[in-house]
Amino acid sequence: MVAAAAGFWVLAIGLTLLLVVGGVAILTYAPDYGIAGFFAFGLGGALAFGAMPRLSFKVEESTPPLGDDEQPRLRSLVNRVAERAGAPAPEVVFVTHDANAFAGGVRLRRLSRRQRSVGIGLPLLAVLTQEETSAVIAHEMGHHIAGDVRLGPWVHRTRRAIARAVDRLEGSSFWFHLPFVAYADFFMRTSVKISRAQELQADAVSAQVAGAPAAASALRKIEVLSAAWQAYFRNEVLPMLNKACLPPLLDGFDRYWRAALTPGTPAFEALSAAMGANHLPGPADTHPPLAERIAALGDPQTAADAADRALDLLDDVARVEERVMRDLLRDPKMALKPVSWDQISDEVWLPAWREAVKGHAAALGKLTATDLPGALERWESLAQATRRGPAVLSPEAERRELSRLLGTWLTVRLADRGFRIEAQPGLAVVALREGQRLEPYAAVEAMLKPTPERNREWAKTCTELGI
Amino acid sequence: MTPAPLRDPTGLLARAPELEAIAERDAALRRAIEQGRPLDAYRALYWAHRLRRLGDLADVAATLLARRRVFLKGLTTVPRMFTYNGIGTSLYGRSDLDLNDGSYVATLYLVFFFIPIFPIASYLVRDGQGSGRRSWIIMAKVPAGTTTYFWQRATALGVVGLLLVATASAIEGYGHATVHVVNGLDRPITARLSGATTRTPVAPGQEAAIRTTVGQHEIDVRDGERAIETGSVDVPRGHGAVAWNVLGAALVYLDHETYSKEGASNPDQGLAPQIFCGESRIAIGDVDYLFAVPPKELSLPSGSSAVVRSHMGVAPGGWRSCINYFESHGDVEKGARLTLHVARATLATAATMGNEIDEAIAQLPAADGEAFAKELLARDDSLEANRIYQNVLLESHQRARAISEYDARLAAKPGADSEYLALRVRPQQEEHGKVDEVVARYPRHAFLRRAQALTHYAELELPATASACDALKELDPKVWLDSIDACVDGMVGVGRGDEALSALAALAADSSATTASRNDAEVLAYRVAHRIGKSAPEPKADEDDEDPAATPLYARARTGLPLDPSAIEKVKNELVRDALRVSLDARSNPDAALDRVRKGDPMTALRLPAAVHVLLLAEASRRDDASDVTARLAAGGLGKGAEAITSFVRTGKVTDEVAGLPLELRAAMELARSRMVGLSAKERADLIALARTSDVLQGPVTVAISGWPP
């Protein structure tokens, strides 16, 4: 791994030197081609500019760790697991917003020693039992024991440097990016293979400490949880934070999770797609597929859910929720308005949607609900009229964008006509009024594939709803 | 097998969902999307569409390709735009304009005098709000359009190709270097460096380049199958000129040209040319134009008002240019040794290099000259070779030995040649007494006829000289030509000036004669014409003469005609100009002339007309206070004759060297002798009368007779 990482620097510096030395050699030994020597210098400079890393004096930004007196029960569990695994207790413990856990070395102050750390995501604590949590922590301690953590930052920096070189040299007239793309492939294949082996080794430590059933159970849960949490956090939580609102994090996920188990809901569709993607290993996946990991553990039966939820290890869960969300903010101390998920539609979404529609009043002012199919058929002019910023979307993306805008417009129109709007996590936006029900976004999206029959039905719906 | 869902780290699929279906058919597109390379994704889509790999999705692809901005890539750094005197980078173009927000695609070019040379990258931009200079808001990088792309790639391919060729050349250049073989001889040679399988021919007066490996090499130069020179040459790696000047014969020079803003190139005034005469191995540092003609003009680097470039070349004229160079720099012995070196290496005979060998031997110590003359005789028993050998003996005061050896030869090999050679080594008086009798026996022998003409000429018997010359001309015009000065004096002396003039005119117009012969004939005709009161065209410089003003002035100086001082000042060559000034002074003011010689360049004496030179040497010899000038003039190319001249002026003794001089020079000596302190009035008058008679063509000596103060 070290050799593979060093190879990138050898490649970058070697190619640059090759061009510079080549330029000198041409000027010295082939002066008739002196101009080529200067080209070589120029290209060497361009390559160095593109491939070499930039010095950065930024302090590493990281989530603040738990204080020494915070969450003593969680710390106690971590220390016990470390002891059982035969590793020194981590010096730093993190609780994060992510549905993941990690081991690392963190430098809390500039130039200070890296300290052994373990991090665990709040969503895991919400879903896993204490035994399963022990398995997860033991897995991370396994990384410490194997020394993966020492190498990790280096590999990470090399990956970043390769990615940056490929990014900066992309489309290079002189095909400079090709060796780096090829090396990135090679490095990824090499590092992924090693990373996957390290994961299996850490799984073995996990099984040794917490038992194979608990380890397997944790892996299975995390697999599903991770996919659902990502979608939930991205689609439901982040927009709230962007609007300076503070929703109840785990309550929202509970609602989202229930929606994800209900066929036909957006959450269900998102989870199905994500699970499908996770089922097939990508070339860049640093973790082996779940099936392989379970098989490596001896394919144990799933342990029965015990009553001791991991979340019970935390004192003041609501405070931890707020803390992990604030960690994401540029200014963690900014004022956030607490909002319950039941109030979310009236308090957050509808005002935002009204604002968005108001911003397009000139284009949408004369629009009626019955016009929607026609408007989507003549989407170009409306898309142009409602576009904000430069036109950087393909026709299909523009249509979808317009469809979303029109869905928003329809939602506002329905709200104005006395409909109550519901926008619960993982569920479609619904407009309700005295037994009448309409999913405005779904209705407009359906118009992207218009048929005469659908159009007639829509006209009838409009009449029935009085919009 | 269902392909794994696409990863989309840069959000490209969100901007163009159509790509998802296309990516299922094109692996390169898929890879680029998944690796977050939108510009490469565009290019992959371009080629997939162009190569018709997309089937029913071709129209979708075409639509996407028409919207380059969809494939935008965020900026990590703002592109640098700068121009200095029109050179730098600048944005050009306005395509894919969005009327809605005024954004469009422009391309950043490398520009040269504001002309786009190389497209660097395309960007999505909007015009800036700033006033004054044009400004842009650069939003993102986008793929280059088709024309730009191919322009970019073609240029890049060209540069890469050039780099490959240059690299190959550098690799070759690392292990190899060029040795330039210069042939200053009159005949073609071949050269071979150790390790080479073939020999490289080098034509006379030319240079040939031999590419070889770096390191120590043996060089072998041949004339046909005969080796004429071998040596070792160290061929250095990298820069530096290495030349092999065969026998050191060619005049190889290193000079410097100054290119100034005025455009013309001039030989640099600050650096004297470096001459490599007599050196076979020439190794020097960097030379800008190595045996190549330097350009007339050069573009100067910005900020420079002038640049100097070095140039190594070969002077025309072959080995003779080196001899001239040595002589003009007062190093006649070196020139003589080089002449003999060339003659020995090329197995020259008296017929091919007789005059040069004769002159060279005269400049060398007697032993060296005799050794070479014997070497020459061993392979060439011609009259000319014998004459050279005889000259060596006579110059080294071995007349008795010469008489003995050639009397023995006459006894052993009787005949006209032996008679001639035996006669030739006798003292002037003795030769004069016998020559007519021998000629009577061998009237058809050209050299005997010439001896007859010259012997009578030395005795100031001009009718006999003219008569012998007539017979000689009939027998062998070439030998007559060798004696033309004496023959013309003879003819003018007996009143046949018109006849001499027409003969000289014919010779000057003879295209088969050498340029030097024609020029000499032209000047001589000019002198004769003025002597007999006829008009004659003033000698003109050759077309390629760099100093055309000098030629007619020089002819006038030799003829004794008035010289215009202002015209003299227009002569470019400093030595010639000074020689003409001395010639002018020498007409009426010997003190000034001698003073000018004293204070001038020591080389000035070499450029003086012969009569002026001898006149001043003789006058300086006479004076007690002019030993320095005497030494200068004596060293000026007169050889051992200077000693005889000095002796005659001081003692009146007529040696064979004095008797053998042209009458004009003898007239100069006689004039100077007439001014010696201690002579009676009659002796002075006799000497002046003799000088008047001797100066048949009435040149500078006759002018001095009447012009010099008593």
Side-chain angles (χ1 to χ4, degrees):
Chain A
M1 181 70 96
V2 173
F8 166 74
W9 307 105
V10 171
L11 178 70
I13 296 169
L15 280 176
T16 304
L17 279 181
L18 191 68
L19 282 164
V20 172
V21 171
V24 172
I26 288 168
L27 289 177
T28 307
Y29 299 112
D32 290 348
Y33 295 98
I35 185 76
F38 291 110
F39 278 140
F41 289 146
L43 294 179
L47 180 63
F49 182 76
M52 295 304 164
R54 306 289 184 267
L55 282 178
S56 172
F57 297 99
K58 277 188 190 167
V59 184
E60 287 177 37
E61 282 186 16
S62 93
T63 300
L66 293 179
D68 290 342
D69 53 351
E70 280 186 287
Q71 309 299 349
R73 282 173 291 148
L74 179 61
R75 277 187 165 278
S76 169
L77 176 70
V78 169
N79 292 345
R80 278 201 311 278
V81 170
E83 192 181 343
R84 276 153 62 191
E91 294 155 293
V92 180
V93 176
F94 294 95
V95 175
T96 68
H97 74 279
D98 214 354
N100 206 348
F102 63 86
V106 65
R107 193 171 277 150
L108 295 176
R109 283 183 302 280
R110 191 181 300 191
L111 303 178
S112 66
R113 178 179 68 83
R114 283 190 184 275
Q115 295 180 294
R116 282 187 309 283
S117 66
V118 162
I120 187 157
L122 179 61
L124 299 192
L125 296 174
V127 172
L128 301 181
T129 65
Q130 289 186 14
E131 202 55 28
E132 289 162 347
T133 304
S134 297
V136 169
I137 294 168
H139 173 97
E140 301 307 333
M141 296 316 299
H143 284 308
H144 275 297
I145 292 166
D148 307 341
V149 169
R150 285 196 299 276
L151 205 56
W154 216 68
V155 173
H156 175 66
R157 274 199 298 274
T158 305
R159 273 197 187 136
R160 259 198 340 209
I162 295 175
R164 193 167 41 224
V166 170
D167 182 62
R168 294 178 73 92
L169 296 171
E170 186 197 355
S172 158
S173 312
F174 291 90
W175 303 277
F176 280 150
H177 60 303
L178 294 184
F180 292 98
V181 168
Y183 196 82
D185 273 347
F186 163 75
F187 184 77
M188 194 176 64
R189 278 198 303 276
T190 309
S191 64
V192 159
K193 204 170 156 185
I194 293 167
S195 296
R196 289 180 184 179
Q198 290 171 345
E199 293 302 327
L200 292 176
Q201 204 176 348
D203 283 349
V205 174
S206 168
Q208 184 194 328
V209 170
S217 176
L219 288 175
R220 288 191 182 102
K221 282 185 181 175
I222 292 171
E223 175 90 347
V224 181
L225 169 69
S226 169
W229 181 268
Q230 276 180 33
Y232 162 68
F233 203 79
R234 186 178 61 242
N235 299 332
E236 310 290 349
V237 180
L238 288 182
M240 291 296 106
L241 291 174
N242 280 338
K243 295 182 189 312
C245 294
L246 186 67
L249 189 62
L250 294 180
D251 174 44
F253 184 65
D254 195 40
R255 294 171 188 233
Y256 188 91
W257 181 244
R258 270 183 271 130
L261 298 177
T262 309
T265 62
F268 182 86
E269 300 298 331
L271 183 60
S272 301
M275 292 304 293
N278 290 347
H279 183 67
L280 295 164
D285 287 345
T286 54
H287 290 60
L290 178 65
E292 189 183 336
R293 299 177 76 175
I294 299 293
L297 291 172
D299 202 6
Q301 291 297 310
T302 303
D305 263 4
D308 52 344
R309 292 192 316 152
L311 203 58
D312 296 340
L313 294 168
L314 296 181
D315 299 333
D316 196 352
V317 174
R319 194 169 158 207
V320 176
E321 282 185 23
E322 181 176 348
R323 175 183 174 144
V324 298
M325 284 190 280
R326 283 189 177 278
D327 285 346
L328 294 172
L329 301 175
R330 275 195 189 142
D331 173 15
K333 290 179 181 168
M334 72 179 281
L336 294 175
K337 180 184 173 189
V339 181
S340 77
W341 290 105
D342 291 330
Q343 299 169 311
I344 208 94
S345 180
D346 291 339
E347 296 271 333
V348 180
W349 292 124
L350 261 176
W353 290 334
R354 285 186 197 285
E355 193 64 29
V357 170
K358 195 175 162 189
H360 295 294
L364 304 178
K366 293 178 181 171
L367 191 69
T368 64
T370 48
D371 291 340
L372 286 174
L376 274 173
E377 271 184 52
R378 301 180 301 277
W379 62 271
E380 282 103 334
S381 56
L382 198 52
Q384 191 174 332
T386 56
R387 187 183 298 141
R388 292 288 179 267
V392 293
L393 299 180
S394 72
E396 182 58 27
E398 290 232 52
R399 285 179 74 222
R400 291 185 190 182
E401 181 78 6
L402 181 62
S403 141
R404 276 190 289 276
L405 177 62
L406 294 180
T408 303
W409 175 86
L410 181 58
T411 307
V412 171
R413 168 62 63 98
L414 288 167
D416 291 344
R417 296 288 185 277
F419 281 80
R420 181 167 55 82
I421 306 299
E422 285 187 0
Q424 287 297 304
L427 296 175
V429 175
V430 184
L432 301 166
R433 188 181 66 185
E434 296 167 1
Q436 290 175 317
R437 184 178 191 280
L438 182 68
E439 293 182 11
Y441 283 96
V444 176
E445 193 179 346
M447 293 173 202
L448 289 173
K449 292 173 184 168
T451 61
E453 191 181 338
R454 274 188 186 169
N455 290 350
R456 276 196 301 277
E457 264 184 37
W458 172 247
K460 189 178 161 194
T461 303
C462 289
T463 308
E464 285 171 5
L465 297 178
I467 51 174
Chain B
M1 182 179 163
T2 311
L6 276 175
R7 287 168 176 74
D8 182 22
T10 54
L12 178 59
L13 292 179
R15 292 197 301 277
E18 298 94 324
L19 286 173
E20 199 158 355
I22 300 174
E24 282 181 20
R25 300 187 189 180
D26 190 85
L29 174 61
R30 183 185 179 91
R31 212 164 34 244
I33 293 171
E34 293 212 302
Q35 292 177 353
R37 294 184 280 121
L39 304 183
D40 287 345
Y42 179 88
R43 203 51 58 197
L45 180 67
Y46 173 83
W47 285 114
H49 179 252
R50 182 122 182 163
L51 300 174
R52 302 178 188 285
R53 289 202 299 248
L54 302 178
D56 60 332
L57 294 174
D59 289 344
V60 178
T63 306
L64 291 175
L65 288 171
R67 296 188 176 204
R68 283 188 277 152
R69 52 174 69 209
V70 171
F71 297 82
L72 64 87
K73 179 178 177 178
L75 295 175
T76 46
T77 51
V78 179
R80 285 170 187 268
M81 271 185 285
F82 66 95
T83 49
Y84 182 72
N85 289 338
I87 300 169
T89 57
S90 187
L91 274 177
Y92 286 99
R94 195 182 184 86
S95 62
D96 199 3
L97 174 66
D98 180 10
L99 293 171
N100 211 32
D101 72 335
S103 65
Y104 58 92
V105 172
T107 300
L108 184 70
Y109 286 90
L110 195 66
V111 296
F112 193 72
F113 293 120
F114 296 108
I115 299 168
I117 301 295
F118 179 71
I120 298 169
S122 294
Y123 294 94
L124 182 63
V125 302
R126 203 161 48 211
D127 289 333
Q129 303 298 316
S131 57
R133 292 186 64 163
R134 193 161 179 212
S135 64
W136 293 269
I137 296 164
I138 301 178
M139 293 180 276
K141 197 171 180 180
V142 294
T146 304
T147 309
T148 307
Y149 171 73
F150 281 107
W151 179 355
Q152 201 175 48
R153 292 300 144 124
T155 311
L157 268 178
V159 169
V160 170
L162 179 66
L163 273 177
L164 290 176
V165 171
T167 303
S169 177
I171 290 169
E172 197 272 347
Y174 179 75
H176 295 78
T178 302
V179 175
H180 298 263
V181 179
V182 185
N183 178 13
L185 306 181
D186 297 332
R187 45 199 305 129
I189 53 101
T190 60
R192 189 173 72 90
L193 286 164
S194 49
T197 51
T198 56
R199 304 191 65 82
T200 303
V202 192
Q206 299 295 310
E207 166 271 340
I210 303 177
R211 195 77 179 154
T212 189
T213 52
V214 297
Q216 196 74 21
H217 282 272
E218 294 302 314
I219 187 168
D220 158 35
V221 182
R222 289 173 180 248
D223 173 4
E225 290 302 311
R226 191 171 52 81
I228 58 172
E229 191 179 32
T230 57
S232 63
V233 56
D234 185 28
V235 182
R237 172 171 286 127
H239 291 220
V242 183
W244 187 267
N245 182 9
V246 175
L247 301 176
L251 192 153
V252 177
Y253 61 89
L254 175 69
D255 63 3
H256 296 82
E257 303 276 342
T258 300
Y259 294 88
S260 64
K261 280 191 171 166
E262 285 69 39
S265 69
N266 299 303
D268 183 63
Q269 299 300 313
L271 297 165
Q274 200 173 343
I275 304 295
F276 301 92
C277 268
E279 296 175 42
S280 292
R281 195 179 293 106
I282 301 171
I284 202 157
D286 285 344
V287 176
D288 297 307
Y289 303 105
L290 190 57
F291 300 108
V293 181
K296 294 242 183 270
E297 291 178 359
L298 204 66
S299 60
L300 299 179
S302 64
S304 299
S305 58
V307 291
V308 178
R309 292 283 181 268
S310 55
H311 165 232
M312 181 173 271
V314 191
W319 62 273
R320 290 176 184 83
S321 294
C322 261
I323 308 302
N324 291 339
Y325 169 76
F326 282 134
E327 286 179 356
S328 65
H329 284 73
D331 210 346
V332 287
E333 186 173 334
K334 264 192 182 171
R337 290 195 185 281
L338 178 60
T339 302
L340 298 189
H341 190 38
V342 170
R344 187 176 283 125
T346 57
L347 298 183
T349 63
T352 55
M353 276 181 66
N355 287 341
E356 287 99 345
I357 291 170
D358 201 15
E359 285 171 15
I361 285 175
Q363 306 299 335
L364 293 178
D368 293 351
E370 186 180 330
F372 186 84
K374 279 184 173 171
E375 188 185 316
L376 179 65
L377 267 184
R379 62 172 183 269
D380 175 19
D381 191 31
S382 66
L383 280 182
E384 270 304 316
N386 277 284
R387 277 155 47 92
I388 290 168
Y389 176 64
Q390 288 181 339
N391 289 347
V392 171
L393 296 180
L394 296 178
E395 290 281 340
S396 57
H397 309 292
Q398 298 184 73
R399 187 179 293 275
R401 182 181 154 197
I403 292 171
S404 163
E405 285 183 14
Y406 280 90
D407 280 351
R409 176 190 166 109
L410 177 61
K413 250 165 84 174
D417 286 352
S418 293
E419 287 281 7
Y420 164 70
L421 291 171
L423 183 65
R424 190 174 176 276
V425 292
R426 296 189 184 279
Q428 163 67 19
Q429 289 303 319
E430 201 176 324
E431 185 183 359
H432 182 248
K434 290 184 73 173
V435 69
D436 290 340
E437 181 253 319
V438 178
V439 169
R441 280 191 280 126
Y442 301 103
R444 307 293 300 167
H445 194 276
F447 284 98
L448 277 171
R449 279 289 182 193
R450 187 174 74 170
Q452 186 184 30
L454 294 181
T455 305
H456 288 300
Y457 178 69
E459 294 299 321
L460 206 52
E461 295 166 355
L462 297 180
T465 303
S467 168
C469 282
D470 291 344
L472 176 60
K473 190 178 181 188
E474 194 186 322
L475 284 172
D476 190 337
K478 276 181 75 176
V479 180
W480 172 80
L481 192 57
D482 287 345
S483 319
I484 193 163
D485 288 330
C487 290
V488 166
D489 273 359
M491 291 170 83
V492 172
V494 297
R496 291 165 55 196
D498 286 332
E499 208 179 317
L501 193 57
S502 62
L504 288 167
L507 184 58
D510 183 1
S511 59
S512 65
T514 63
T515 308
S517 295
R518 289 206 306 272
N519 290 344
D520 286 348
E522 200 178 358
V523 174
L524 199 50
Y526 184 67
R527 296 186 64 188
V528 170
H530 281 282
R531 167 67 177 81
I532 63 175
K534 294 277 177 72
S535 66
E538 198 169 60
K540 286 196 169 46
D542 295 330
E543 280 180 11
D544 57 351
D545 198 327
E546 290 180 357
D547 204 356
T551 304
L553 286 171
Y554 204 73
R556 293 182 75 82
R558 289 185 66 185
T559 310
L561 290 171
L563 290 169
D564 177 4
S566 62
I568 291 174
E569 298 311 313
K570 288 177 186 164
V571 171
K572 292 179 191 166
N573 187 304
E574 202 173 330
L575 291 178
V576 173
R577 191 167 63 234
D578 217 25
L580 288 168
R581 286 179 187 142
V582 172
S583 302
L584 182 61
D585 288 342
R587 296 178 167 207
S588 57
N589 189 349
D591 292 342
L594 293 175
D595 196 43
R596 200 182 279 280
V597 172
R598 177 182 287 115
K599 292 175 181 167
D601 191 302
M603 296 295 111
T604 302
L606 292 167
R607 304 302 179 111
L608 289 171
V612 177
H613 190 173
V614 172
L615 188 61
L616 292 178
L617 171 63
E619 174 65 10
S621 315
R622 175 186 81 75
R623 299 183 180 203
D624 296 331
D625 58 349
S627 58
D628 55 337
V629 183
T630 306
R632 266 195 178 192
L633 290 165
L638 293 174
K640 289 166 185 166
E643 198 182 319
I645 293 166
T646 308
S647 170
F648 171 80
V649 173
R650 289 174 182 163
T651 64
K653 184 183 172 191
V654 180
T655 60
D656 277 0
E657 280 92 357
V658 170
L661 289 172
L663 288 179
E664 183 186 23
L665 305 189
R666 278 169 54 183
M669 295 156 53
E670 286 152 0
L671 170 60
R673 167 84 186 144
S674 74
R675 292 158 62 82
M676 274 295 288
V677 176
L679 293 186
S680 65
K682 182 177 182 312
E683 283 173 318
R684 288 180 202 280
D686 287 349
L687 280 165
I688 286 173
L690 185 60
R692 284 189 192 282
T693 310
S694 298
D695 190 16
V696 179
L697 296 184
Q698 298 178 357
V701 178
T702 301
V703 174
I705 289 171
S706 52
W708 280 14

